[in-house]
């Protein structure tokens, strides 16, 4: 027969596992957002996950999302997502190593969710 300590330890481990699952779900669905960007913006200077890109206003030029921790670091080899001239929301779900820089295209208004 299990002791009371064993039962409490098991209950604690179940609660911890449920909490970890909830935190992971939040990370995957995006904990933060950055709205109404019309110019190149440093969204996050730390590693994380880019979850969605929303094109609010299509504009006349494509934009890009870069894996960079500074605007100056947003170079061609750091491009990770093309932001097309099509209004709508696009799931990305991409891990980011350095940070997130969003550079909307000409006339675009962009929003992103990230963790």
């Amino acid at each position: 027969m299990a002791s009371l300590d064993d039962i409490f330890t098991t209950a604690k481990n179940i609660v911890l596992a449920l909490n970890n699952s909830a935190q992971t779900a939040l990370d995957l669905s995006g904990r933060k957002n950055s709205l109404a960007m019309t110019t190149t913006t440093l969204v996050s200077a730390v590693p994380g996950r880019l979850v969605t890109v929303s094109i609010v206003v299509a504009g006349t030029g494509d934009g890009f999302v870069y894996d960079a921790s500074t605007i100056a670091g947003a170079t061609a080899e750091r491009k990770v997502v093309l932001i097309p001239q099509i209004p709508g929301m696009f799931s990305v779900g991409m891990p980011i190593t350095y940070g997130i820089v969003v550079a909307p295209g000409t006339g675009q208004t962009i929003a992103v969710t990230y963790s």
Side-chain angles (χ1 to χ4, degrees):
M1 186 160 153
S3 72
L4 199 51
D5 283 343
D6 291 338
I7 294 170
F8 286 142
T9 298
T10 300
K12 175 184 170 188
N13 289 339
I14 290 170
V15 169
L16 289 173
L18 288 172
N19 184 51
N20 286 340
S21 294
Q23 296 304 314
T24 299
L26 285 173
D27 286 340
L28 293 174
S29 62
R31 291 177 179 263
K32 302 173 185 175
N33 61 48
S34 188
L35 306 173
M37 292 177 283
T38 57
T39 61
T40 301
T41 304
L42 175 63
V43 173
S44 175
V46 297
R49 176 177 292 276
L50 178 63
V51 179
T52 62
V53 174
S54 297
I55 296 93
V56 180
V57 176
T60 59
D62 293 334
F64 293 96
V65 178
Y66 298 86
D67 186 351
S69 59
T70 65
I71 290 174
T75 58
E77 56 273 356
R78 294 285 176 98
K79 288 179 185 176
V80 293
V81 175
L82 168 74
I83 305 171
Q85 301 170 40
I86 303 167
M89 184 176 84
F90 300 92
S91 293
V92 179
M94 178 177 283
I96 298 296
T97 304
Y98 301 103
I100 301 169
V101 174
V102 176
T106 304
Q108 285 186 321
T109 301
I110 307 298
V112 297
T113 59
Y114 62 100
S115 294

